[in-house]
Each structure stands twice: as structure tokens, then as C-alpha cells.
Amino acid sequence: MHSFKIALISPKGPLYRHRTGIFRKDLRAAPLTLTTLAALVPNTLGAEVKIYDEGIEDLPANIDADLIGMTVITGSAPRSYELAEKFRNQGKTVILGGPHVTLLAEEAKKHADSIVTGYAEESWPELLYDFQNQNLKKHYVMSASFSLEKKENLPFPKRELLRQKSYKTLNTFEATRGCIHNCEFCVVPVAWGRRPFQKPIEHIVEDIKQRKAKQVLFYDLNLIADKEYAKELFKALIPLKIYWVGLSTTLIGRDDELFELLVRSGCKGLLIGFESISKTTLRSTKKSFNDPDGYSELIRKLRNVGIIINGTFVFGNDDDDISTFDAVRDFVIENKIGLPRFSILTPFPGTPLFQRLEKENRIIDRDWSKYDGQHIVFQPKQMTPDQLQFGHERVWKEVYSIKGIGKRAIGNFTSIFPIVLAANSAYRYYANNLSKFYTCRGGIV
Ligand code: SF4
């Protein structure tokens, strides 16, 4: 085979989908997976590459491609498998990769001509050459020596292949991957281990400069996992005079030098996984580095320097009962968290949480499409699934009521207040439409 056509697809999930989804544009930033994979296609192949994000567009009735690659998370796995079957019946070659495939390789293999597990920087080009030579292997595995420091693993993402108008921003970047922590519910350490992968800082700076980006979003799961690296990165961002938002843990408040550099680097918003206000829960889920006694002080400290908090909380832990909903709602409003988010505990397959609940016979639904953080797929300990579902939905609605937004907005009048207000409006829409997606009642006991 000579040159060929590649289509890269991010299949839709229950909530993130075109038309019927509840993620409005203000909550949609350009994904990096497909644009990175597109950039990794070797020029020597002469291949034509197209990208489809089903979260923002319908797929064409007929995709003109020889090889189709899909990135799969657990919530989109059933849709990915459905599409894979359709494309394979049309004679196309289907490749699956992504976190769900990495965690459940044997399941994914049944639906694909080949799968890629782990990060694909090295295996994806190898796979493409094999495809061209009609020598495709069934499984491509990330090598033990994989590194994001190698120049050949670091092309700039091909953001120009995305439908730009459908995203709030195309200026999304990533400096690191992975996380050093080991939270019981988290997919990251199980899928990719606890070794942080880091890109050379000059590479990130160059990417930002090339895009002339002034407002930047970092997708890194935990930007401060390696504090020394984070300090060097923040120092390098200072001269760029950008605003940026990203993800951190609560540990950001415990290192004065790191905190000062964070502020000077232009940070204006941080997503922080508070998860719970119960020490028992945090201990049992192996996230005890979060200390609820210090939450209010950290939130105040960040607000004082104009950093908006996207604070996330989880409902359904074993220590949670029906009083937890009001307690978390009051905490969020009293502490004026700018952009709070709530999810239902989800035992993603492969995680220690899944294994524990499986052992306790508490997994009640194995429809992966409901593994999206907003459906109940397990038997909670101290409430019924209905109580968990409605309590969670009620908190979303109350925190994003006009009154709730008003109370939280006071104290969040920062330079990015208009962006925060737009995001609050988008989350209000999300909160008020969440119940449309509670299609799981058949499985609830
Ligand atoms: S700190 Fe965050 S990214 Fe790291 S393991 Fe815990 S939940 Fe996952």
C-alpha cells in the first residue's frame, strides 16, 4: 500500500455529545489527544489525516479513510465499539487506544484490528508503518523507556485540524503527564504508573509562543506533581505575560516559593480535587494529603491573589450519608468557591476502587456508558442509589441557582470574572439538564 487516509475520532459519551449533550461551548476546550496523534503521523507516509470530535459534531455518514483510530475512555467505550463494528464491516482497519483500552486491553482487542496501550508517541508511528507494509500487529505497547524528553516524541499538536469555532479555546497545552499519587478511585496511576512524564520546558514555551497565546489552559493532571519542575516551568512562564488556568492538588498552599512563582507566572484559575470534607473518606481513599481543616485557608489564600478555584467534590464514598449533601453545599457557598463541580463516585474498571467494590459485591451496573461520574453504578454504603442520585443533583442545582451563584460570586471579582461568569452560566445549564441523562434507573436497586 502507498499513501493512505487516516481518520482520528473521539467518540461521544452520554453527556459530552453534539446537539443533545450538556457541555456548552464555555466548558469546551480543544482536546490534545487527536491533534497530537495527527502530528505524530510521519511525513514520509504521505498520509492524509482528518479529525472528528463527536462531542462537537456529527460523524459524516461515510468516512473516507483506510485506517480509523479512536481514543476511548470508559464512558465512550460502548459507542467506540459500536463505531468500530460499523467501520470494520465497511472494510476499514480500526485501531483503539486511550485509558479504557490501556486498562481493559483484552476487552478492547475483541473490537479492533489492533490496539495501543499506554502513551502512543512511539508505538503510533510504528503501527502506521506496519499498516503501510500490511504487517499490522494486534497490540502495540508503550515501551518501558518511554520519555517525553525525546525530541521525536514532541511534535506540536496539529490544532488547525479541529473545528475551531466549536471550542472556547484552542490554546490548550500539556507540560507533564501522570501523577505521583495513588488515590484509590483514580485511573491515572493504574493506567500509566506513578512516574511523572515531563516535557522540556523550552518546548512548552515555544509552543505557547508559536500560537501567540495570551490565555492558556494546561491539561496536566497535576501540574505540581514534581515541585522542582513546576517551579522551573512557572519561572519560564513569567516573561510570557500570559493568563493561565490548570490543575493542581491542595499541596499548592504548602510551599511558599512554589505559590509565589505560581502567582507571578500568571495563574488565574486552578482546578483542585478537594473530593471530600471528611477526613475518614480522604484517608480511606488514599488522598489523605488533602486536609479539610486547611481547605478554607487555602481557598482564601488563592482568592486573595485573584486565582479562581474550580473545586471538585465526590459524592457516594462509604463515609457519606444523606447529611453530606447539605454539608458540602454549605461549605462550597460559605467559602465562595468560584466554579464548584460535583461527581458521583465511579469505580472505573482496573482501579483499586473497582476491585474493592467488586469483592464486596457492590457493582450493580456494568454498562460502561454510565461510568461518567454522573451515574450510579455501585451500591452506596449509607444511602440508597436514589438518595445518592437526587442528593447529588440537588447540590448541583442549589449551588448553581441564581442565589447560589450570587453568594459565591462575591469575592471572586478578578480579572477573569467575565470568563467565570460565563462558565457559571454554562454549569447552571449543565446542572438544570443533568436529570435528562439519568437513564440508569433500571439498574438501580
Ligand atoms: S492526585 Fe489526582 S491525578 Fe493524582 S492520583 Fe490522585 S486523583 Fe489521580
Side-chain angles (χ1 to χ4, degrees), residues 67-83:
L67 180 138
I68 297 199
M70 288 189 263
T71 178
V72 186
I73 57 173
T74 301
S76 70
R79 173 65 179 164
S80 309
Y81 298 158
E82 176 193 325
L83 287 174

Side-chain angles (χ1 to χ4, degrees), residues 178-190 194 220-222 225 247-250 273 275 285-287 289-290:
C179 184
I180 52 170
H181 300 294
N182 200 18
C183 306
E184 188 199 27
F185 50 84
C186 187
V187 163
V188 178
V190 196
R194 295 170 70 185
D220 305 54
L221 295 161
N222 178 9
L247 286 73
S248 161
T249 63
T250 54
E275 322 300 0
T285 56
K286 295 203 169 66
K287 198 155 184 175
F289 60 83
N290 270 9

